[in-house]
Amino acid sequence: MTMMAIPVALDDARAWLRLGAAGDDAIVERLVRTATNICEAFTGQWLVIRAGEERVAVRGGLAALRARPVIGIDEAALIAADGSEIALDPDKYRTVIGPDGDAAIRIDDPQGAGQVRIGFRAGIAAAAENVPEAIRHGILRMTQHLYAARDDVQASPPAAIAALWQPWRRIGLGGAR
């Protein structure tokens, strides 16, 4: 999986935290990455398009990805019981991507494999600067919360953060995903 691009620049986070030119850069960068991970977990969506891969179960010839929103499937390989892989030609499976970015592949002949490794691309925006402003602002506010609450593990994040991210939240009802 490629490294996640962060949609908030270090300079922007530093300014939001009212820090000097080079104050706590390593800490602030880690907090921005953490806030971005929290945002992706909350919304159930990857923010900036990046490549990834998942090992998922094959059920009835169908293998559904957990990552969202998927924009393309690049490769698939069946995983045999002994752990070896059998690459699938693209004509041996069909890609199914819904309008909401949910994705799966339908395998014509899963050859008894219980799992498949799928390489894909997923994300809301093509570049970090294209992430919606409300999401970016929520990441700044979460970074601020994490920075201020470094010594207080009981501190809850402000409700405004959830309000900023709520329109992009995708939640599932469990099941096979």
Side-chain angles (χ1 to χ4, degrees):
M1 188 179 317
T2 59
M3 180 169 267
M4 169 184 51
I6 56 173
V8 172
L10 182 59
D11 288 343
D12 293 341
R14 200 179 316 109
W16 184 260
L17 295 171
R18 297 181 185 106
L19 297 176
D24 296 333
D25 278 357
I27 292 169
V28 173
E29 184 176 353
R30 282 194 302 271
L31 293 176
V32 170
R33 286 195 182 284
T34 300
T36 302
N37 285 332
I38 292 168
C39 177
E40 287 189 345
F42 180 86
T43 62
Q45 300 192 75
W46 289 11
L47 300 179
V48 180
I49 295 172
R50 64 186 185 269
E53 75 176 36
E54 289 183 18
R55 285 177 68 140
V56 296
V58 178
R59 292 189 176 95
L62 190 67
L65 289 165
R66 289 178 294 278
R68 293 186 291 211
V70 174
I71 62 167
I73 304 289
D74 300 319
E75 65 174 330
L78 295 172
I79 301 172
D82 66 1
S84 63
E85 291 189 4
I86 304 163
L88 285 173
D89 289 327
D91 63 339
K92 300 293 182 193
Y93 64 90
R94 288 179 306 285
T95 299
V96 180
I97 300 176
D100 57 359
D102 285 348
I105 63 169
R106 183 164 300 284
I107 304 167
D108 296 332
D109 179 14
Q111 303 174 36
Q115 288 190 319
V116 63
R117 182 184 52 77
I118 304 172
F120 61 92
R121 287 164 284 114
I124 293 173
E129 59 272 8
N130 301 122
V131 170
E133 193 59 38
I135 291 176
R136 292 164 40 93
H137 186 69
I139 291 170
L140 278 172
R141 292 189 62 126
M142 180 59 80
T143 301
Q144 178 184 26
H145 166 73
L146 294 171
Y147 187 82
R150 287 180 290 183
D151 298 324
D152 184 3
V153 295
Q154 300 297 323
S156 297
I161 297 169
L164 289 164
W165 293 342
Q166 189 65 39
W168 288 273
R169 189 166 197 193
R170 304 297 317 257
I171 55 173
L173 298 176
R177 290 217 151 213

